[in-house]
Amino acid sequence: AQSVTQLDSQVPVFEEAPVELRCNYSSSVSVYLFWYVQYPNQGLQLLLKYLSGSTLVKGINGFEAEFNKSQTSFHLRKPSVHISDTAEYFCAVSPIFGNEKLTFGTGTRLTIIP
Amino acid sequence: DTEVTQTPKHLVMGMTNKKSLKCEQHMGHRAMYWYKQKAKKPPELMFVYSYEKLSINESVPSRFSPECPNSSLLNLHLHALQPEDSALYLCASSQGRGGRGEQYFGPGTRLTVT
């Protein structure tokens, strides 16, 4: 079984400041890792994914995340945020072998302050 | 093309009505999913179809009935719903067995049960 922890339920950040959204996971098997973004009244959009290889992955809209196996973390970062980044961000994992169920964290609400 | 479409966008139904939600993808994906999402919560998995067969039912009440007519289409039939069933219903798809676990989501159907 897998579990995902997003400790920060809300993160307020000033416009053009950097941001880091934290994600830690627990799993007895190897997993793929994902970040999804959900804008108000919309579905989820895949922001980036870690499948294998380089631990630093780049996604859409200037976001990047670093996989740290020893700390079982997959934190999301952006060097300079914009008003349009206001959204809910979900970290998720799925087992590499076996079913394709996504296990989501509880989400982090990113609010950009003008 | 990574688009999953869902209709209708909004649906209001009474507790005695019968209605259906529809989902379509043309990415050649062989796994399709229904999720329920309440406000400020992550999506909760309801059903998984793999190669057009129901592979996972997360103990969903029988008033929700999924159907997968072909590999591109997924329906969710609704009957005798309760007000607590009001939520955003999301459809997703993925490659299926041997894939990398990433799921692509539709924009959702906002369901209100009166």
Side-chain angles (χ1 to χ4, degrees):
Chain A
Q2 295 81 45
S3 67
V4 179
T5 302
Q6 293 180 250
L7 285 174
D8 304 310
S9 60
Q10 297 185 66
V11 174
V13 180
F14 285 102
E15 193 173 14
E16 297 183 9
V19 68
E20 179 178 81
L21 305 184
R22 295 180 295 167
C23 173
N24 288 85
Y25 70 94
S26 173
S27 177
S28 57
V29 299
S30 296
V31 294
Y32 297 125
L33 300 109
F34 308 93
W35 276 98
Y36 285 89
V37 59
Q38 187 173 32
Y39 299 105
N41 299 313
Q42 294 188 28
L44 276 70
Q45 182 179 6
L46 183 62
L47 203 53
L48 49 76
K49 60 196 176 196
Y50 176 77
L51 305 178
S52 64
S54 172
T55 57
L56 183 64
V57 292
K58 294 188 183 299
I60 61 172
N61 303 338
F63 283 93
E64 64 181 30
E66 185 149 24
F67 171 55
N68 187 318
K69 188 172 183 178
S70 63
Q71 297 185 9
T72 60
S73 67
F74 190 52
H75 301 332
L76 181 69
R77 297 192 291 258
K78 186 170 183 178
S80 175
V81 295
H82 303 285
I83 290 286
S84 59
D85 293 323
T86 295
E88 191 81 24
Y89 291 79
F90 293 100
C91 182
V93 302
S94 73
I96 293 177
F97 301 106
N99 65 56
E100 291 194 32
K101 289 175 67 170
L102 274 176
T103 299
F104 287 95
T106 50
T108 297
R109 175 73 180 173
L110 177 61
T111 301
I112 308 304
I113 305 164
Chain B
D1 181 10
T2 57
E3 187 179 26
V4 177
T5 58
Q6 290 187 245
T7 55
K9 192 172 176 64
H10 300 277
L11 179 62
V12 179
M13 60 186 291
M15 293 166 61
T16 58
N17 291 158
K18 285 185 181 181
K19 296 287 185 183
S20 297
L21 309 185
K22 297 185 184 303
C23 173
E24 190 167 6
Q25 58 88 14
H26 293 289
M27 295 178 277
H29 287 171
R30 302 310 301 269
M32 296 186 77
Y33 310 77
W34 279 116
Y35 289 87
K36 173 183 178 181
Q37 187 181 27
K38 299 287 256 184
K40 302 185 190 302
K41 298 288 187 184
E44 298 174 33
L45 183 65
M46 300 174 72
F47 302 103
V48 181
Y49 272 84
S50 180
Y51 291 78
E52 301 160 50
K53 293 191 187 315
L54 183 64
S55 62
I56 296 177
N57 176 341
E58 293 285 298
S59 303
V60 179
S62 60
R63 58 185 184 269
F64 295 91
S65 175
E67 178 195 21
C68 188
N70 60 54
S71 60
S72 300
L73 292 173
L74 187 66
N75 299 322
L76 186 63
H77 303 298
L78 314 172
H79 174 54
L81 295 192
Q82 304 297 310
E84 59 264 29
D85 296 322
S86 298
L88 181 67
Y89 287 83
L90 294 164
C91 174
S93 71
S94 70
Q95 285 183 304
R97 278 194 300 273
R100 297 172 300 181
E102 59 210 85
Q103 294 182 19
Y104 293 90
F105 285 80
T109 294
R110 177 75 60 188
L111 174 67
T112 303
V113 181
T114 61

